[in-house]
Amino acid sequence: MGALSEQVVERSMALGIPLSVHVDLTMRCNERCVHCYRVIEDRGELTTAEVKALLADLARAGTLYLTFSGGEIFLRPDLFELIAEAKRLRFDLRLKTNALLVTAARAARLRELGVRQVDISIYSADPAVHDGVTRIPGSLERSLAAIGWLRAAGLSVKLNCPLMRSNVDGYREVRALAERLGAACGIDPMITARNDGDASPVRLRIGRADLRRVLTDPVLSPEPPPVEVPATRPDLDDVACGAGHNACYVSAYGDVMPCVALPIACGNVREQPFAEIWSAAPRMREVRAIRVRDLHTCAGCAASTFCMRCPGQALVEDGDLRGPSSAACEHALARAELAGVSVVPASFGRRSPAPR
C-alpha cells in the first residue's frame, strides 16, 4: 500500500467513513464448494432498483472501494447494468467470481466498463483436486479458460487459493500457474465456519504440521525479521478490528453487517437508509466501541504480536465476540515458532487444538 493510500485509510478510520464495502449480489451459486460458509435464506434478494439505490447511498457516504461478490455474481442477469452504475458513481470496483460463466465477450465488456480486478478461486492445478472441492466436473478447465479471456482483455486477475487438507500439497503449483497466467495469487490457510454457526467446514482445515510448513515456505513467506515480544501489549486502546470502522458488508438480502466474516445484522437497507445504519445502529456501535483491552483473554496474551485475530471467527466458532478465536491461536503459535519465539497464547490449550 502506498503512502497516499495509507493516509486515506487512516483518515477514513478517524472519520468513520465506510471506505470499503463488500456487497453480495446473490447467494445462488453454480458450484457446490465443500468449504463454503455462505447460507442461502428464504428471502428475496435485493432487486436491481434496490442495489442501485444502495450504491447511491454508499457513494454519498464516501465509499471508494467496492466489491461485488456472492454466491456467483454472473447468475444475476442485471450484473452488467449494476457494474455500469457502480462505475458511473466512480467506485473502484473489484469482482469475485468462479468465472464459469465468463466468455471472451463478457471479459471484453468488463474491461470496457473499467473493472479494476477480478478475483477467482482456484483450489489446485490438478483438475481432480479442484473439481473435487467445487463438486462440478470440468470447473477448473472452464475457470482457466475464463482467466485467459480476462487477461487477454487486459484485466487484472487474482487467483485465490484457500488451503484445505485436500489441496494443501498443491499450493506451489497454483502459485506457478498464476505466474504463467500473469495473475496475482493469494494463498489462505484459513477455513471458516458457516455463518449460521455450522462448524463442519472447520474439519477441512489443514493440521498444525501443514500450517507450519506453509508459513515457513520461503516462496510464500520470506524470513521474518527479529521480533521483540513486549511484556505488556502497547495497543490496549486501539480498535480490535477495522470492521465497522471503515469497512462493512451488505448481504444479498440487504442486511448491513460490520464485515462479511462477522454475521451481526445491524439493520437492513430495505427498512432504513444505509447511512443511518452505519452511523447509529446499536449493534454497529457495539462492535465499533470494542478496544483491545476489552478482549478478555487476548488483551493479556503473550502471542499477540503474532496474532491476526478475527472477531467474526471468535463469534461464529467460539461464541464470544470479545474472546479468542481458536483458529487465530493456532496461527499465532505457528508464526511465533517461525520467528523463533517461544510463547503460549493465553487461550491455547483451553480449547480443542486443530488436528495434527
Side-chain angles (χ1 to χ4, degrees):
M1 183 181 295
L4 179 58
S5 295
E6 290 180 359
Q7 291 178 20
V8 171
V9 170
E10 291 174 3
R11 188 69 172 163
S12 68
M13 287 284 289
L15 296 177
I17 295 172
L19 182 69
S20 177
V21 178
H22 178 138
V23 178
D24 276 346
L25 298 179
T26 181
M27 289 292 93
R28 293 171 294 128
C29 192
N30 50 0
E31 290 185 334
R32 302 188 300 277
C33 296
V34 297
H35 64 295
C36 184
Y37 63 88
R38 303 300 173 89
V39 178
I40 296 178
E41 301 179 37
D42 188 19
R43 292 193 281 167
E45 296 177 342
L46 294 178
T47 65
T48 304
E50 287 172 328
V51 175
K52 286 184 175 181
L54 170 63
L55 296 181
D57 285 348
L58 294 179
R60 284 190 290 269
T63 299
L64 172 61
Y65 301 110
L66 180 67
T67 298
F68 280 165
S69 185
E72 175 44 51
I73 57 174
F74 279 90
L75 290 175
R76 290 239 2 178
D78 59 354
L79 176 62
F80 286 100
E81 183 179 351
L82 296 176
I83 291 174
E85 180 66 6
K87 294 308 300 179
R88 186 187 70 80
L89 293 169
R90 300 182 180 275
F91 290 110
D92 177 289
L93 183 62
R94 180 176 63 152
L95 307 179
K96 290 190 175 184
T97 172
N98 58 40
L100 295 188
L101 298 176
V102 171
T103 62
R106 286 178 167 181
R109 181 61 178 146
L110 293 178
R111 174 62 175 174
E112 290 173 3
L113 289 170
V115 171
R116 176 174 61 85
Q117 179 174 297
V118 181
D119 288 19
I120 300 171
S121 294
I122 297 294
Y123 304 102
S124 174
D126 181 342
V129 176
H130 176 93
D131 297 356
V133 172
T134 66
R135 294 189 283 195
I136 298 297
S139 57
L140 177 61
E141 181 180 2
R142 292 167 64 186
S143 292
L144 292 182
I147 292 170
W149 291 320
L150 291 165
R151 292 295 298 130
L155 282 154
S156 295
V157 176
K158 182 179 180 182
L159 275 55
N160 291 324
C161 182
L163 292 184
M164 292 164 273
R165 291 174 175 273
S166 62
N167 71 341
V168 65
D169 291 329
Y171 67 86
R172 280 195 164 202
E173 286 75 14
V174 172
R175 187 180 177 92
L177 175 63
E179 290 179 356
R180 291 196 300 273
L181 295 171
C185 184
I187 306 294
D188 186 3
M190 184 63 75
I191 301 297
T192 64
R194 286 166 57 90
N195 283 346
D196 61 0
D198 179 358
S200 58
V202 172
R203 294 194 293 268
L204 304 173
R205 283 181 183 158
I206 61 176
R208 199 179 305 162
D210 280 330
L211 179 61
R212 289 172 181 154
R213 174 164 63 92
V214 171
L215 292 177
T216 57
D217 189 334
V219 172
L220 300 180
S221 305
E223 186 174 347
V227 176
E228 181 177 344
V229 180
T232 58
R233 291 192 68 158
D235 60 347
L236 293 179
D237 293 320
D238 290 354
V239 300
C241 175
H245 289 272
N246 70 345
C248 73
Y249 163 67
V250 183
S251 80
Y253 310 108
D255 295 319
V256 179
M257 306 182 190
C259 175
V260 66
L262 186 53
I264 296 177
C266 302
N268 191 289
V269 296
R270 284 172 162 158
E271 301 166 0
Q272 294 174 273
F274 171 83
E276 184 178 308
I277 299 170
W278 172 258
S279 63
R283 296 304 306 274
M284 190 71 78
R285 286 188 168 187
E286 176 191 357
V287 171
R288 198 173 286 149
I290 297 173
R291 296 296 182 267
V292 171
R293 66 172 63 254
D294 300 319
L295 307 179
H296 54 74
T297 301
C298 305
C301 180
S304 62
T305 301
F306 309 95
C307 187
M308 299 179 69
R309 173 188 177 274
C310 172
Q313 290 172 3
L315 178 65
V316 173
E317 297 176 24
D318 300 293
D320 189 350
L321 181 61
R322 294 170 177 79
S325 158
S326 53
C329 295
E330 284 285 346
H331 285 225
L333 182 61
R335 290 188 180 95
E337 291 178 348
L338 173 59
V341 178
S342 179
V343 296
V344 177
S347 68
F348 199 79
R350 294 175 56 186
R351 306 182 191 274
S352 300
R356 296 176 183 271

